[in-house]
């Protein structure tokens, strides 16, 4: 049997523990699809309807698991389609490996069909970007690409020309060990996690001087919830979360005021406006934009990468380290704040904010308010549910009206704000967590962009629940779900909503609920409308 040069690629992915690759692989001379089939007991290729979804799924897998996502596309248009999801990973600092199949090197420059220099096309999005020239390179390139992506939270890209496949004489000679290739291994060792002692002392001194300390927590604080809560209690500090950091601290914890920014809560804006000191953990949210006087705000920035730290004042302290370990080391140096007025005022504002949200959730004029839709899902969803939200208006409604509590998770395209990511994220999350409830919360205008992935749900038997907010005049999307072989329900009245959501969530398979909402426009609790 001939040895295909794609074998080293697939075997190395298996060595790294990669269980699923998202995308579409050609089965021409490269033989990649055939290699996946030969190793189907250890790794699977999850086929998508559109390559854009493959990029989003790989990014969603990284967000849902904390590991690396892997996607694959064929040459030319397939690779270009996938780029939206790659930029989503780049901007949200998620580790992702993209594999593309390119035309033979010997044909580049001849105007051949689908001729693209994919290593040049993806140069901006990929931190590590390489073209395979001989098969012996492949294991080392995979090791370097995956290691770089994990270490930096970035995108790696390897393009795989088809002329490598197979060796003419059927031998594996080209795949033999070559001493000119540097030795690598499918292993990643995290760097030391603590800043220097002098930096910790500077940070503690700054935080101890602060009278109104606010904590700003982003997705980089994942895994440090207990340490964050302990430090916040000592400092008497309200915890403001970035949108992608919504799951880092539970929404029902009395120390948090919710998310920051235009998509967040009014109490969070008030906290950042009044704070004289900020402890930012794993977030590059520009908090100074909310400050009444940016020159009067001091800050401690804690992150694993200096490149992710937002600009601050001249007196700021920068801590580069693993969040949980660093906070544990910082804690004994902190003085417990005796004055809790700042925290107590924030808690009172949160109570008022929740009352205002409840008012907004009420159905008005016979229509269904999107907040009411999200709150209904919130009440009926499991305590370990994964909500995958679209960006745009749905991100605002889901951020405000869906509570992360228990073991729930919340995924969203944050910095790229890609509106079509909700459904692909849910596919990836359900594939990674088959025992958990995975829900896509999307608007009709973005769902239709990748609605073909309903077929993926049916073909892969993934019981994702898709909640679609549709405005008047939109087509009946429940009929599309039915045509795909999923359960489709359409709801026009508020009285029918709970029963439909409950039926969809309890259905043994993929389901879609198409909900006619009064309007997707965002209204502030004070009543003013914003775009």
């Amino acid at each position: 049997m001939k040895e295909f040069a794609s074998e080293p690629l697939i075997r190395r992915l298996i060595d790294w523990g990669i269980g699923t690759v998202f995308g579409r692989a050609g089965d021409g001379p490269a033989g990649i699809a055939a290699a996946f089939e030969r190793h189907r007991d250890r790794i699977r290729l999850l086929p998508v309807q559109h390559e854009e979804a493959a990029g989003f799924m790989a990014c969603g897998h990284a967000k849902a698991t904390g590991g690396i996502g892997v996607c694959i596309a064929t040459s030319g248009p397939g690779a270009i389609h996938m780029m939206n999801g790659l930029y989503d990973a780049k901007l949200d600092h998620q580790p992702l490996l993209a594999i593309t199949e390119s035309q033979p090197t010997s044909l580049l420059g001849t105007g051949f069909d689908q001729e693209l220099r994919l290593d040049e096309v993806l140069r901006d999005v990929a931190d590590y970007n390489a073209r395979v020239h001989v098969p012996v390179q492949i294991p080392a390139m995979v090791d370097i690409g995956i290691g770089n992506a994990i270490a930096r939270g970035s995108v790696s890209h390897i393009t795989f020309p088809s002329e490598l496949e197979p060796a003419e004489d059927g031998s594996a000679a080209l795949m033999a060990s070559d001493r000119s290739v540097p030795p690598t291994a499918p292993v990643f060792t995290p760097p030391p996690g603590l800043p220097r002692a002098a930096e910790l002392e500077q940070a503690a001194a700054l935080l101890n001087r602060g009278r109104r300390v606010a904590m700003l927590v982003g997705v980089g604080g994942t895994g440090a919830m207990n340490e964050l809560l302990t430090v916040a209690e000592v400092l008497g500090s309200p915890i403001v979360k970035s949108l992608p950091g919504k799951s880092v601290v539970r929404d029902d914890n009395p120390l948090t005021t919710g998310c920051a920014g235009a998509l967040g809560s009014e109490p969070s804006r008030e906290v950042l406006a009044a704070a004289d000191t900020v402890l930012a953990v794993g977030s590059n949210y520009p908090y100074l934009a909310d400050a009444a006087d940016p020159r009067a705000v001091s800050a401690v920035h804690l992150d694993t990468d200096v490149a992710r730290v937002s600009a601050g004042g001249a007196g700021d302290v920068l801590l580069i380290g693993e969040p949980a370990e660093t906070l544990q080391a910082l804690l004994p140096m902190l003085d417990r704040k005796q004055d809790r007025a700042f925290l107590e005022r924030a808690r009172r504002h949160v109570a008022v904010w929740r009352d205002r949200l409840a008012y907004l959730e009420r159905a008005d004029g016979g229509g269904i308010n999107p907040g009411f839709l999200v709150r209904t899902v919130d009440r009926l969803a499991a305590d370990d549910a994964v909500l995958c939200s679209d960006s745009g208006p749905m991100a605002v409604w889901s951020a405000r009206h869906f509570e992360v509590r228990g073991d729930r998770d919340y995924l969203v395209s944050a910095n790229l704000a890609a509106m079509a990511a909700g459904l692909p994220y849910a596919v990836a999350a359900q594939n990674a967590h088959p025992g958990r409830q995975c829900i896509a919360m999307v608007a009709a205008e973005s769902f239709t962009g990748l609605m073909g992935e309903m077929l993926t749900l049916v073909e892969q038997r993934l019981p994702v629940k898709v909640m679609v907010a549709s405005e008047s005049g939109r087509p009946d999307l429940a009929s599309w779900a039915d045509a795909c072989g999923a359960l489709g329900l359409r709801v026009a009245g508020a009285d029918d909503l709970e029963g439909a959501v409950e039926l969809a969530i309890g259905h043994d398979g993929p389901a879609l609920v198409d909900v006619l909402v009064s309007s997707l426009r965002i209204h502030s609790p004070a009543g003013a409308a914003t775009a």
Side-chain angles (χ1 to χ4, degrees):
M1 178 178 175
K2 291 184 177 180
E3 173 86 343
F4 285 82
S6 53
E7 289 290 331
L9 170 67
I10 305 304
R11 287 198 296 263
R12 206 56 159 188
L13 293 177
I14 292 172
D15 290 342
W16 275 96
I18 306 299
T20 301
V21 176
F22 304 93
R24 303 185 71 88
D27 201 18
I32 293 180
F36 274 110
E37 179 62 23
R38 285 192 292 276
H39 295 279
R40 62 183 180 273
D41 59 329
R42 301 180 66 189
I43 190 170
R44 66 186 296 226
L45 175 64
L46 195 155
V48 299
Q49 313 304 316
H50 193 282
E51 291 89 349
E52 181 178 6
F56 283 132
M57 288 177 192
C59 182
H61 177 88
K63 292 181 177 182
T65 65
I68 187 169
V70 182
C71 53
I72 189 168
T74 56
S75 62
I80 292 174
H81 285 160
M82 198 165 65
M83 287 179 67
N84 207 13
L86 306 190
Y87 273 103
D88 186 34
K90 175 181 178 177
L91 270 61
D92 280 357
H93 306 292
Q94 297 299 313
L96 185 149
L97 173 64
I99 301 165
T100 61
E101 300 173 75
S102 67
Q103 297 294 1
T105 303
S106 59
L107 294 175
L108 295 180
T110 68
F112 192 74
D113 184 47
Q114 294 188 339
E115 177 195 326
L116 286 177
R117 296 179 183 270
L118 290 176
D119 49 336
E120 296 183 12
V121 172
L122 273 67
R123 180 179 297 170
D124 178 68
V125 71
D127 192 43
Y128 173 80
N129 184 26
R131 169 182 287 271
V132 177
H133 293 281
V134 292
V136 72
Q137 295 174 282
I138 295 171
M141 292 171 76
V142 172
D143 290 347
I144 295 169
I146 290 180
N148 193 81
I150 295 174
R152 298 187 57 81
S154 63
V155 175
S156 291
H157 168 238
I158 301 173
T159 190
F160 204 95
S162 60
E163 77 266 24
L164 302 177
E165 315 290 348
E168 290 185 3
D169 61 358
S171 72
L174 287 177
M175 281 156 261
S177 177
D178 187 334
R179 295 177 183 176
S180 65
V181 177
T184 60
V187 177
F188 175 76
T189 303
L194 285 177
R196 291 187 291 267
E199 294 167 346
L200 290 170
E201 292 170 359
Q202 288 179 332
L206 188 150
L207 295 170
N208 288 336
R209 287 196 302 269
R211 294 176 56 246
R212 299 181 302 279
V213 181
M215 288 180 65
L216 173 62
V217 176
V219 68
T222 300
M225 182 174 65
N226 292 335
E227 291 80 6
L228 289 164
L229 294 175
T230 303
V231 170
E233 175 60 32
V234 169
L235 295 175
S237 169
I239 298 177
V240 177
K241 301 182 290 184
S242 69
L243 181 64
K246 181 175 169 66
S247 299
V248 176
V249 174
R250 310 292 93 176
D251 281 317
D252 56 357
N253 190 286
L255 288 169
T256 186
T257 57
C259 294
L263 284 68
S265 73
E266 184 64 20
S268 290
R269 189 201 65 79
E270 292 170 348
V271 164
L272 293 178
D276 61 19
T277 307
V278 173
L279 171 56
V281 180
S283 175
N284 61 359
Y285 176 79
Y287 58 88
L288 290 178
D290 293 299
D293 181 3
R295 296 168 299 179
V297 180
S298 299
V300 174
H301 300 265
L302 168 56
D303 213 310
T304 56
D305 188 344
V306 66
R308 300 181 196 174
V309 176
S310 62
D316 290 358
V317 176
L318 176 61
L319 300 177
I320 301 301
E322 196 280 325
E325 289 184 50
T326 302
L327 291 173
Q328 289 172 6
L330 183 64
L331 186 61
M333 305 178 187
L334 299 177
D335 299 331
R336 191 178 194 279
K337 304 287 185 186
Q338 300 303 312
D339 184 355
R340 319 297 279 185
F342 187 52
L343 176 59
E344 293 304 323
R345 184 166 68 251
R347 285 174 171 169
R348 291 194 299 271
H349 290 174
V350 169
V352 174
W353 171 259
R354 288 179 177 274
D355 289 341
R356 291 177 179 174
L357 289 182
Y359 171 79
L360 284 180
E361 290 162 7
R362 299 171 190 165
D364 59 300
I368 299 174
N369 185 283
F372 180 62
L373 164 61
V374 177
R375 184 62 72 188
T376 301
V377 173
D378 172 65
R379 287 191 293 102
L380 298 175
D383 282 344
D384 66 347
V386 182
L387 187 81
C388 303
S389 174
D390 266 346
S391 294
M394 284 312 302
V396 182
W397 293 110
S398 63
R400 292 178 175 177
H401 300 270
F402 183 86
E403 287 199 352
V404 174
R405 57 180 181 268
D407 294 320
R408 286 181 174 180
D409 211 344
Y410 177 87
L411 307 182
V412 67
S413 171
N415 290 298
L416 185 62
M419 291 183 63
L423 177 56
Y425 276 13
V427 172
Q430 191 72 82
N431 178 72
H433 304 297
R436 295 177 65 178
Q437 195 177 84
C438 295
I439 303 169
M441 182 67 66
V442 300
E445 60 183 351
S446 58
F447 171 76
T448 52
L450 288 174
M451 62 193 296
E453 302 313 318
M454 281 298 301
L455 285 169
T456 301
L457 293 180
V458 174
E459 291 170 357
Q460 301 300 316
R461 300 180 180 179
L462 298 171
V464 169
K465 316 307 176 187
V466 185
M467 306 294 165
V468 185
S470 295
E471 295 183 277
S472 176
R474 288 282 179 180
D476 182 358
L477 296 174
S479 61
W480 166 247
D482 286 334
C484 292
L487 172 66
L489 303 169
R490 188 169 173 88
V491 179
D495 291 342
D496 300 322
L497 180 61
E498 182 166 337
V501 172
E502 195 167 23
L503 179 60
I505 286 178
H507 178 65
D508 184 22
L512 180 147
V513 183
D514 186 17
V515 182
L516 294 177
V517 298
S518 52
S519 174
L520 276 170
R521 294 190 70 195
I522 305 301
H523 296 270
S524 73
T530 58

